[in-house]
Amino acid sequence: NLYELLRERILELDDIDIDVKKTYIAFKGLSNIVDVEVFKKYLVLMLNIKKGNLEDPFNIAEDISNIGHHGNGDYRIVFKDEEEIDNIIYLIKQSLKVNKK
């Protein structure tokens, strides 16, 4: 279950709150760190980090700064495979540094 795996790994990082919204689930520090939209076979993650401030050596984050979307931030990741979790957590940690309590 992708969501449970992601939730567990994010909550291990720091003092992070979860806020369930109508269209997404927000993982929050001082402000949203990552917003998660849950679909049947994958998750869509929006990282709350400004365009140009994300180091993505895996090339998995898409710039959505000019696209309307639910959630916060300028980057989107489609999470389909459990094997990607370490790479995704690496990117989420960058958003956590910016949005930490």
Side-chain angles (χ1 to χ4, degrees):
N1 200 319
L2 288 178
Y3 175 75
E4 291 302 321
L5 172 63
L6 181 68
R7 181 182 165 278
E8 184 179 305
R9 292 288 301 270
I10 290 173
L11 293 177
E12 288 173 355
L13 297 175
D14 207 314
D15 178 19
I16 297 173
D17 299 319
I18 298 175
D19 187 10
V20 178
K21 302 290 187 185
K22 187 174 182 179
T23 57
Y24 62 90
I25 301 164
F27 290 84
K28 302 179 82 157
L30 187 59
S31 62
N32 292 20
I33 298 162
V34 61
D35 301 322
V36 180
E37 291 181 309
V38 179
F39 295 92
K40 201 170 198 171
K41 296 187 178 191
Y42 61 94
L43 304 175
V44 175
L45 288 60
M46 274 76 62
L47 293 176
N48 191 10
I49 194 163
K50 291 289 177 207
K51 180 180 177 178
N53 293 328
L54 182 70
E55 178 193 328
D56 179 12
F58 320 108
N59 202 29
I60 57 174
E62 176 188 3
D63 174 6
I64 57 169
S65 59
N66 295 319
I67 301 172
H69 59 280
H70 298 290
N72 300 280
D74 288 345
Y75 292 96
R76 171 173 59 202
I77 301 167
V78 177
F79 181 26
K80 295 180 181 176
D81 185 350
E82 287 184 11
E83 293 177 12
E84 299 174 318
I85 190 68
D86 290 333
N87 297 345
I88 288 170
I89 292 298
Y90 175 82
L91 300 178
I92 290 172
K93 283 180 181 177
Q94 293 178 56
S95 181
L96 175 61
K97 284 180 189 175
V98 176
N99 301 295
K100 196 172 184 166
K101 285 184 183 177

